[in-house]
């Protein structure tokens, strides 16, 4: 195993203990993992750590950001769902690296997201941030969006019909960002992108493909639990399942 890989696994080990809610890490194990996480001189000199971020240079990044900005302006004027919505405060279009290799797709803004105009900034957002860090990435290295861009009244789960009306904009975001992997959070996002009505149990942890005519190749999609569900059902088993899903996504990014 190359040093960079050992380094990543050691870091992830420490993060996993946090994600799984393990309060106690034996001192020797923690010290060994921390020591392994220190870059060797050789690594510092020559081995770039895989960041999960597309290598797109400033030109490509600026181009994609401009395309996303244009798309957002059109969305705000034309979206068949959001222009009819009367109860939201802010549109939550999405945020992150326009060249991200990993994209997370949730269902719809909640109260805090509606207030700030940013996706996943409430309690679910804190959990999502933990999940992102657990695979050795920073939040600003990924892209985060929702199927619905305006908060549904009473935090209702998006209906398939609402998802169809707003989801066309998500599809265009995906086409611009062109991520290597999409992780869907919860059932509505998976059902919309995979065009099915399957139960979460039938989808979670399995690879699917998202194919679109405006994209050169299908994008691998991995459904996992929504962080809000994880917070509600904070069992060791659920945390392990989400951890396994995140590992799968990370491995796919690294290949
Ligand atoms: N839940 C979601 O699905 N999306 C958000 O942005 C916040 C909570």
């Amino acid at each position: 195993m190359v040093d960079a890989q050992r380094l990543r696994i050691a870091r992830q080990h420490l993060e996993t203990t946090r994600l799984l809610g393990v309060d106690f890490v034996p001192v020797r194990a923690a010290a060994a993992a921390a020591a392994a996480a220190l870059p060797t001189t050789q690594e510092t000199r020559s081995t770039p750590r895989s960041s999960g971020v597309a290598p797109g240079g400033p030109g490509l990044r600026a181009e994609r950001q401009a395309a996303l900005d244009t798309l957002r302006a059109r969305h705000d004027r034309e979206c068949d769902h959001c222009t009819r919505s009367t109860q939201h405060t802010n549109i939550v279009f999405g945020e992150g690296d326009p060249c991200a290799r990993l994209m997370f797709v949730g269902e719809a803004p909640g109260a805090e997201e509606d207030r700030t105009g940013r996706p996943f900034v409430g309690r679910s957002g804190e959990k999502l941030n933990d999940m992102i860090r657990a695979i050795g990435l920073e939040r600003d290295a990924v892209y985060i969006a929702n199927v619905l861009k305006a908060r549904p009244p009473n935090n209702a789960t998006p209906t398939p019909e609402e998802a169809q009306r707003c989801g066309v904009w998500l599809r265009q975001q995906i086409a611009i960002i062109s991520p290597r992997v999409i992780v869907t959070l919860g059932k509505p996002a998976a059902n919309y992108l995979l065009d099915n009505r399957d139960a979460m149990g039938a989808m979670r942890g399995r690879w699917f493909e998202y194919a679109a005519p405006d994209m050169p190749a299908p994008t691998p999609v991995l459904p996992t639990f929504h962080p809000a569900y994880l917070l509600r059902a904070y069992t060791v088993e659920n945390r392990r399942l989400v951890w396994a899903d995140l590992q799968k996504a990370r491995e796919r990014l690294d290949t």
Side-chain angles (χ1 to χ4, degrees):
M1 194 185 297
V2 295
D3 285 347
Q5 241 174 323
R6 269 197 299 115
L7 170 65
R8 182 165 61 71
I9 289 167
R11 279 200 184 116
Q12 286 177 5
H13 172 77
L14 286 175
E15 287 295 334
T16 312
T17 55
R18 283 201 325 115
L19 180 76
L20 293 177
V22 178
D23 298 324
F24 167 78
V25 184
V27 173
R28 249 197 274 145
L38 289 173
T40 62
T41 321
Q42 192 191 2
E43 247 166 24
T44 320
R45 264 195 249 113
S46 59
T47 318
R49 180 171 177 270
S50 165
S51 65
V53 183
L60 181 62
R61 196 158 270 115
E63 210 173 277
R64 288 187 183 177
Q65 188 56 58
L68 288 170
D69 292 345
T70 304
L71 182 66
R72 188 202 163 119
R74 276 192 49 220
H75 165 272
D76 292 0
R77 283 194 310 271
E78 297 172 21
C79 176
D80 195 34
H81 170 265
C82 298
T83 55
R84 295 185 204 195
S85 161
T86 51
Q87 302 206 6
H88 70 279
T89 307
N90 285 300
I91 293 291
V92 181
F93 186 69
E95 68 179 24
D97 184 347
C99 291
R101 297 173 76 216
L102 177 58
M103 181 163 176
F104 288 92
V105 178
E107 56 184 70
E112 197 53 22
E113 290 76 20
D114 184 51
R115 195 182 65 75
T116 58
R118 297 181 57 209
F120 283 97
V121 288
R123 278 193 75 218
S124 300
E126 281 171 25
K127 187 45 69 190
L128 178 61
N129 293 347
D130 285 347
M131 289 160 62
I132 295 168
R133 275 196 297 268
I135 47 170
L137 298 178
E138 292 299 326
R139 181 178 162 115
D140 59 10
V142 305
Y143 196 92
I144 305 172
N146 285 306
V147 178
L148 298 192
K149 316 265 186 242
R151 186 185 189 211
N154 307 317
N155 253 4
T157 302
T159 63
E161 193 257 339
E162 285 171 327
Q164 290 296 336
R165 282 173 30 226
C166 199
V168 290
W169 303 93
L170 171 67
R171 290 177 182 279
Q172 294 179 66
Q173 281 174 298
I174 295 172
I176 292 169
I177 296 158
S178 195
R180 176 106 187 245
V181 169
I182 298 173
V183 172
T184 53
L185 303 166
K187 184 173 181 297
N191 286 161
Y192 175 69
L193 277 188
L194 303 177
D195 195 20
N196 68 25
R197 299 274 173 112
D198 292 355
M200 206 47 211
M203 297 184 287
R204 205 228 89 249
R206 287 179 49 205
W207 284 109
F208 293 84
E209 284 187 340
Y210 166 75
D214 48 359
M215 294 185 70
T219 309
V221 176
L222 188 70
T224 194
F225 290 140
H226 194 286
Y229 171 76
L230 197 56
L231 286 167
R232 279 198 309 277
Y234 206 57
T235 63
V236 170
E237 177 59 10
N238 284 344
R239 283 176 269 161
R240 279 193 206 293
L241 292 174
V242 170
W243 171 247
D245 298 344
L246 293 169
Q247 283 297 327
K248 267 192 188 177
R250 177 72 216 213
E251 274 159 26
R252 192 84 181 231
L253 286 182
D254 287 342
T255 54

